[in-house]
Amino acid sequence: MADRTSIMDSFNKPTRLNIKGPIKGTLLSPSFTADLSELILFNEYKSQKFLLVFERISEDTYTFKHKINIPKKYTIKTGKLSNDGLNYYLSLEHRKTNPKIYLLTRDNVKDKFDKLVPISNITINAKSDRNHQPYFSNNGKFVVFTRSAENEWKHNEIFIGQIDIINESAVEITKESEKVDNLIDLTIYPNPSSDFVSI
């Protein structure tokens, strides 16, 4: 984390954050509440992807709080917290369709995110494109996001769109275990084999 006194100044030397918890794999796309009391990270370990919530316990230390439950038919992509911390905008892939931009909501910053709302805007969520990494303006009316072709980034571009309507139909989030799944590294021998291998 690095700070500065104004937007005209350079950032100070960054301080490395201590992230504590039962975490494996890569941590990406940090997103903080305005008071820095809460941190959301995208966690990828092998083929598994999570959104993890951490709480601040000291100036440079965050500890694991819980994971955000996403319905099982969705594949999680990266996202960003709104300025007030009540919304988390993210990209999700649903049943092998192109990723679209969704909205996670909660009534209070002390609560857990409990509603997943699709954004009804065919221009932003174009069916023929993969829509990623949304970042919304403070008033929630404008979004900047990236768009790519199928499985490649040759035409990776940044777009800005205007939100007119947020779909009121929400996808309920199931109350699953708050623990991060136990992830075990397995090595199987012989590799390769000369016949079928049963596990």
Side-chain angles (χ1 to χ4, degrees):
M1 181 187 294
D3 60 5
R4 58 184 176 180
T5 54
S6 76
I7 60 173
M8 303 302 294
D9 296 326
S10 299
F11 281 102
N12 295 321
K13 183 178 179 181
T15 300
R16 181 176 179 178
L17 297 180
N18 298 313
I19 308 298
K20 297 184 177 294
I23 311 304
K24 289 185 177 181
T26 303
L27 296 174
L28 299 170
S29 192
S31 190
F32 296 86
T33 51
D35 61 359
L36 303 180
S37 64
E38 189 176 72
L39 165 65
I40 298 179
L41 288 168
F42 174 82
N43 176 219
E44 184 172 6
Y45 181 72
K46 296 187 176 178
S47 62
Q48 300 184 69
K49 298 173 182 178
F50 310 98
L51 285 177
L52 307 179
V53 180
F54 297 81
E55 60 182 343
R56 194 179 197 183
I57 58 174
S58 69
E59 185 175 343
D60 61 354
T61 302
Y62 287 80
T63 186
F64 176 74
K65 191 175 180 183
H66 60 84
K67 73 175 181 177
I68 297 176
N69 291 316
I70 301 293
K72 292 181 180 180
K73 295 176 182 177
Y74 292 83
T75 301
I76 303 169
K77 308 293 181 182
T78 57
K80 189 72 176 177
L81 266 169
S82 62
N83 195 48
D84 59 11
L86 298 179
N87 300 313
Y88 187 81
Y89 305 98
L90 75 163
S91 176
L92 291 175
E93 184 179 298
H94 183 229
R95 292 180 172 177
K96 305 298 181 181
T97 60
N98 286 336
K100 295 181 180 178
I101 297 171
Y102 286 76
L103 172 65
L104 276 168
T105 67
R106 59 183 174 182
D107 296 327
N108 189 288
V109 291
K110 300 298 182 183
D111 298 335
K112 296 175 183 176
F113 290 97
D114 58 1
K115 289 182 181 177
L116 178 62
V117 182
I119 293 177
S120 295
N121 189 303
I122 60 174
T123 302
I124 293 173
N125 278 329
K127 292 182 179 179
S128 59
D129 296 299
R130 300 169 61 81
N131 308 284
H132 302 275
Q133 299 171 307
Y135 186 82
F136 279 72
S137 60
N138 290 344
N139 62 9
K141 294 293 184 182
F142 297 92
V143 57
V144 176
F145 60 101
T146 61
R147 179 172 281 171
S148 67
E150 183 68 26
N151 295 325
E152 47 95 350
W153 289 95
K154 290 181 180 177
H155 305 293
N156 184 23
E157 297 174 310
I158 296 176
F159 291 80
I160 183 168
Q162 182 171 351
I163 303 296
D164 298 317
I165 301 172
I166 298 294
N167 193 333
E168 294 181 357
S169 60
V171 180
E172 292 298 325
I173 295 175
T174 57
K175 304 295 182 184
E176 298 174 356
S177 170
E178 300 301 337
K179 295 181 180 179
V180 177
D181 298 2
N182 281 330
L183 305 177
I184 302 172
D185 288 317
L186 294 178
T187 304
I188 300 174
Y189 295 95
N191 184 14
S193 68
S194 60
D195 208 331
F196 293 103
V197 175
S198 297
I199 300 175

